[in-house]
Amino acid sequence: EDSPFTDVRVRRAVAHAIDREALVSALLKGKSQVISTACFPSQFGCDQDVASYDYDVEKAKALLAEAGYPDGFKTEFYAYRDREYAEAISSFLNAVGIETDFKMLQYSALRELRMKSGSPVSFQTWGSYSINDTSAITSQFFKLGSLDDARDAEVAGWLDAADSATDPAVRQENYSKALKKIADEAYWVPMFSYNTNYVFTPEVTYTPTPDEVLRFTDMDWK
């Protein structure tokens, strides 16, 4: 389907339009950080040396004009969680002329919409099943499956090579190629990592683990 978002200049404009630092400092806080890769930095193969888009309203507007949208355009914008974050993102897009018709759906409904007809732009999150490997996120969305909006055969090929190799260097090299192209083409606009908050009483001894899995067997009563 023909959509403004098939033009890389429009996708890059979206990336420049969103003030990710402001989202982190005003809304996420805690240990949340701005992310520029289509994976989580600690995941194996998640090369951080990729194109990143700084917050630049004028650049975003110039890219839209260059793509043939000097007055912007209207688009549906979907989200399924964190209305506050989604509305902030929506207002950043509105500010550069991308007028959003904001729709909040249940996750299952948004997933089905994306699989059946696609959505022009949406705010999504992914937990990688707590697996610390790039295959658990990037390969889920860029290997031409039902949730792959980019449909980039070259990226899918690199991910296939990385996922099926046993040599860590080969895996790393291919993930790197895929992640660099995803960033260059702005197929995604990676934004931030989430915080995981734990609350427990002084009577309990427990140290949270990086994979976020709660292991009750490791908890002790003092």
Side-chain angles (χ1 to χ4, degrees), residues 11-67:
R11 299 195 298 272
R12 287 174 182 156
V14 168
H16 282 300
I18 300 167
D19 189 346
R20 299 175 299 159
E21 293 285 359
L23 290 171
V24 166
S25 60
L27 298 175
L28 277 295
K29 302 179 181 175
K31 294 278 188 182
S32 175
Q33 57 182 311
V34 168
I35 282 178
S36 294
T37 48
C39 47
F40 188 74
S42 71
Q43 289 179 311
F44 177 85
C46 188
D47 186 356
Q48 296 300 289
D49 184 22
V50 303
S52 187
Y53 301 87
D54 53 330
Y55 174 53
D56 190 331
V57 170
E58 292 315 310
K59 200 167 188 177
K61 287 178 176 175
L63 282 164
L64 288 175
E66 205 183 301

Side-chain angles (χ1 to χ4, degrees), residues 4-5 45 57 131 135 140 147 155 160 179 184 189 213 220:
F5 298 103
V57 170
I131 297 168
S135 61
Q140 301 290 315
L147 291 171
V155 168
D160 260 334
L179 292 165
D184 286 339
V189 179
V213 176
D220 294 313

Side-chain angles (χ1 to χ4, degrees), residues 1 19 58 124 167 194 200 211 219:
E1 184 192 337
D19 189 346
E58 292 315 310
Q124 308 266 329
D167 181 341
Y194 272 78
F200 46 93
D211 64 7
M219 296 181 188

Side-chain angles (χ1 to χ4, degrees), residues 206 209 211-219:
Y206 178 62
T209 50
D211 64 7
E212 301 177 2
V213 176
L214 281 168
R215 293 178 174 82
F216 294 99
T217 51
D218 293 344
M219 296 181 188

Side-chain angles (χ1 to χ4, degrees), residues 63-112:
L63 282 164
L64 288 175
E66 205 183 301
Y69 303 100
D71 303 316
F73 58 87
K74 288 184 180 178
T75 182
E76 290 171 328
F77 172 63
Y78 293 91
Y80 72 93
R81 64 177 284 186
D82 302 312
R83 179 182 277 276
E84 202 182 358
Y85 305 172
E87 285 179 347
I89 294 162
S90 176
S91 68
F92 283 131
L93 296 179
N94 292 341
V96 300
I98 300 173
E99 195 184 320
T100 52
D101 174 12
F102 177 52
K103 297 175 190 292
M104 195 88 182
L105 302 182
Q106 292 288 329
Y107 177 67
S108 55
L110 180 51
R111 184 183 169 92
E112 197 174 327

